[in-house]
Amino acid sequence: MITLALSKGRIFDETLPLLRSAGIEVLDDPEKTRKLILATNRPEVRVVLVRATDVPTYVQYGGADLGITGLDTLIEHGNEGLYQPLDLRIAQCRVSVAVREGYDYAAAVRQGARLRVATKYVTIARDFFAAKGVHVDLIKLYGSMELAPLTGLADAIVDLVSTGNTLKANNLVEVERIMDISARLVVNQAALKLKREPLRHIVDAFGRALETTA
Ligand code: ATP
Ligand code: PRP
């Protein structure tokens, strides 16, 4: 049995066409079922639905043989035990620094002020500000980062941006782009040896599907 870990929503929806071109059809709609293990048209392949941030954990410890996760999540989790063969080029966005409209970020950085930065992405934020030589106090949040500068919790946030609509709706502006993000296929390194043939087959099929959409 091959187990693929996916998260509901964006990653699941954007992965379906790739699975389809690899000849794999998921038999249940995750928005309609309460099941967490979904069968596919291929008896030897199943999908497990986990929280987006839990995908690398499932794959690292062998709860799933492979999974699809954002580069953001992967960096925060770390690469241990994970083979990362493909950039799937789905769920594309970027990690950016944003502040309240009217907040003089450039001046704060220039003056060497100690910035308070709220984020779910503490590793990405720590590395970014350390490389710039900017001193920051990081405040870990699990969501709704946009609220932090509006309530005085932080001077800035580090969050995902795609269209920019969420920032705009909350009177925030993007002041620095840290990195581009897309979803990655990750494979358990031990499974890659033990289930070499079937896993290779799926990885290669994903690779071919990407070539046709390039
Ligand atoms: P969790 O459930 O663990 O809190 P989440 O709510 O961040 O995770 P999603 O919103 O489904 O989960 O995001 C999954 C991945 O999709 C993110 O890790 C990121 O790589 C990507 N992503 C998030 N927001 C966007 C967006 N607005 N546009 C494109 N890709 C995005
Ligand atoms: C993500 C992210 C931003 C938003 C950015 O949230 O956390 O808030 O997308 O996208 P935009 O620039 O196109 O507005 P998501 O929509 O996944 O909701 P979430 O808070 O449930 O993660």
Side-chain angles (χ1 to χ4, degrees):
M1 178 61 75
I2 298 292
T3 303
L4 169 66
L6 295 177
S7 55
K8 273 211 246 186
R10 181 176 287 119
I11 296 268
F12 186 90
D13 298 344
E14 296 194 28
T15 299
L16 279 188
L18 285 174
L19 281 175
R20 222 165 265 142
S21 33
I24 300 168
E25 296 276 349
V26 183
L27 300 181
D28 281 300
D29 178 349
E31 302 303 333
K32 293 194 179 133
T33 177
R34 299 290 300 166
K35 281 197 261 179
L36 296 174
I37 299 181
L38 309 182
T40 74
N41 62 327
R42 299 254 299 269
E44 78 286 10
V45 181
R46 65 180 183 174
V47 167
V48 291
L49 295 175
V50 303
R51 271 295 282 273
T53 40
D54 290 335
V55 168
T57 308
Y58 267 82
V59 178
Q60 178 183 355
Y61 293 105
D65 300 302
L66 69 176
I68 296 175
T69 183
L71 178 61
D72 48 328
T73 305
L74 198 52
I75 293 174
E76 293 300 317
H77 176 86
N79 278 322
E80 203 186 326
L82 299 174
Y83 168 60
Q84 195 190 305
L86 287 177
D87 175 353
L88 300 175
R89 303 197 299 264
I90 56 173
Q92 292 189 345
C93 52
R94 56 192 182 271
V95 183
S96 293
V97 182
V99 298
R100 217 176 350 99
E101 251 168 29
Y103 178 83
D104 197 343
Y105 172 76
V109 169
R110 211 170 36 242
Q111 287 155 10
R114 205 176 171 91
L115 286 182
R116 287 216 299 183
V117 178
T119 188
K120 180 173 161 185
Y121 305 102
V122 285
T123 300
I124 293 173
R126 186 184 298 113
D127 290 354
F128 175 73
F129 287 110
K132 275 175 75 80
V134 174
H135 294 289
V136 291
D137 290 319
L138 292 175
I139 301 170
K140 168 87 183 182
L141 289 178
Y142 293 87
S144 303
M145 259 82 78
E146 296 83 5
L147 264 180
L150 305 178
T151 54
L153 178 68
D155 303 308
I157 59 171
V158 167
D159 195 7
L160 300 176
V161 180
S162 174
T163 60
N165 289 342
T166 308
L167 292 182
K168 212 167 174 189
N170 291 290
N171 302 315
L172 300 177
V173 287
E174 187 177 8
V175 287
E176 301 220 52
R177 285 177 175 223
I178 301 181
M179 65 172 72
D180 288 330
I181 296 293
S182 55
R184 308 300 161 109
L185 184 65
V186 288
V187 185
N188 175 282
Q189 280 176 348
L192 197 59
K193 293 192 185 106
L194 294 169
K195 304 181 183 178
R196 189 168 184 83
E197 274 308 304
L199 281 176
R200 263 283 143 224
H201 187 77
I202 293 178
V203 174
D204 290 348
F206 270 57
R208 281 194 301 276
L210 285 174
E211 275 167 28
T212 60
T213 57

